[in-house]
Amino acid sequence: MLHTEHNQEARSVSQGDAGTEPRDRAARTVTLFLLGRLRTDRGDGICRIRNVSSGGMQIETFSPLKVGQRVEVAARNESPVRGHVAWASGTTAGIKFSAPIDSRSLLRPPVLPLARNVSIRAPRFATRTRAVLTIEGKRHDVRVFDISPGGVRLGTSAALPQGSECHLAIPGLPRCHGTIRWADEDSAGIFFTEKLGFASLAPWLDDQAVRFAEDDSAQ
């Protein structure tokens, strides 16, 4: 999650609020700045959830959606909500849910017993592509297995020192600085010092040829 504003009544937009519910009947809308996973018949990608009510949400996407298109949207650790595109204007769309939800649940992190918060992770996306990892001037050819705005999971035969600072060059994305969060004999997790922005990650995920450049060799 990048940022969540204080709960407030959402401002009216040209195409209406979340979904298509009339303002006098809709459960009160809350304004968000939340990243989510969007799944359509074309596959999955990242979206921005801009506001949500019990009956629908307004999202921003990289590729325009079509009215009537079936979608699933998942945020944080929540199960996906299903619906269809009620209206679309450029890369902004209103999603009408198949069934009403508790919109406040999108603002509350899940909680374990004894008040221990569950880790709230940004959506992760499967990928199969190569990259170059640099640690203290030494380059390692690696494979990227999944990616999120905040980090990646790599496949590598090199012994990577946990806690080391590094740079990662993934074709099509800005060069990322990060820290090796964990490592075992054939894989590692890297936490980015600065998260990848929506404007960089969204088109990269949408480009299947780049995102899955190594798919054939992985089978």
Side-chain angles (χ1 to χ4, degrees):
M1 183 182 70
L2 295 183
H3 177 66
T4 302
E5 298 177 359
H6 295 296
N7 295 8
Q8 61 183 20
E9 182 176 344
R11 294 185 297 273
S12 176
V13 295
S14 59
Q15 297 291 336
D17 287 322
T20 57
E21 296 174 297
R23 292 180 64 85
D24 58 351
R25 290 194 297 110
R28 199 63 277 137
T29 303
V30 291
T31 302
L32 304 172
F33 196 109
L34 190 66
L35 293 181
R37 180 195 304 277
L38 171 69
R39 187 176 297 278
T40 70
D41 53 1
R42 296 182 61 250
D44 69 336
I46 198 167
C47 68
R48 278 185 178 134
I49 302 172
R50 300 313 301 260
N51 61 49
V52 60
S53 71
S54 62
M57 64 172 56
Q58 182 188 130
I59 64 174
E60 292 180 10
T61 64
F62 173 72
S63 296
L65 300 176
K66 297 179 180 178
V67 172
Q69 189 172 4
R70 295 288 176 178
V71 300
E72 291 183 358
V73 182
R76 294 180 168 174
N77 296 330
E78 299 291 332
S79 298
V81 291
R82 296 176 175 84
H84 68 273
V85 179
W87 59 264
S89 177
T91 55
T92 303
I95 309 301
K96 184 173 178 60
F97 299 146
S98 300
I101 68 165
D102 176 6
S103 60
R104 293 171 298 179
S105 67
L106 288 175
L107 299 175
R108 293 193 302 264
V111 178
L112 286 172
L114 303 181
R116 292 179 299 167
N117 285 340
V118 176
S119 175
I120 302 172
R121 298 170 60 183
R124 304 189 73 84
F125 301 89
T127 177
R128 292 291 185 275
T129 192
R130 294 196 177 275
V132 175
L133 178 69
T134 304
I135 306 174
E136 295 181 349
K138 185 175 182 180
R139 291 160 55 95
H140 304 273
D141 291 325
V142 298
R143 295 178 65 194
V144 185
F145 291 141
D146 65 51
I147 188 168
S148 77
V152 294
R153 180 171 65 91
L154 303 176
T156 177
S157 58
L160 303 181
Q162 186 172 335
S164 296
E165 294 187 358
C166 60
H167 287 90
L168 183 66
I170 302 174
L173 286 174
R175 184 178 174 88
C176 300
H177 176 263
T179 303
I180 299 175
R181 177 64 60 86
W182 59 268
D184 56 30
E185 60 182 13
D186 59 3
S187 59
I190 294 179
F191 178 81
F192 295 151
T193 304
E194 184 174 343
K195 292 183 178 181
L196 285 170
F198 179 85
S200 297
L201 186 56
W204 189 88
L205 291 172
D206 196 65
D207 189 339
Q208 301 291 296
V210 173
R211 178 178 172 182
F212 296 105
E214 293 292 315
D215 215 24
D216 290 340
S217 64
Q219 298 177 7

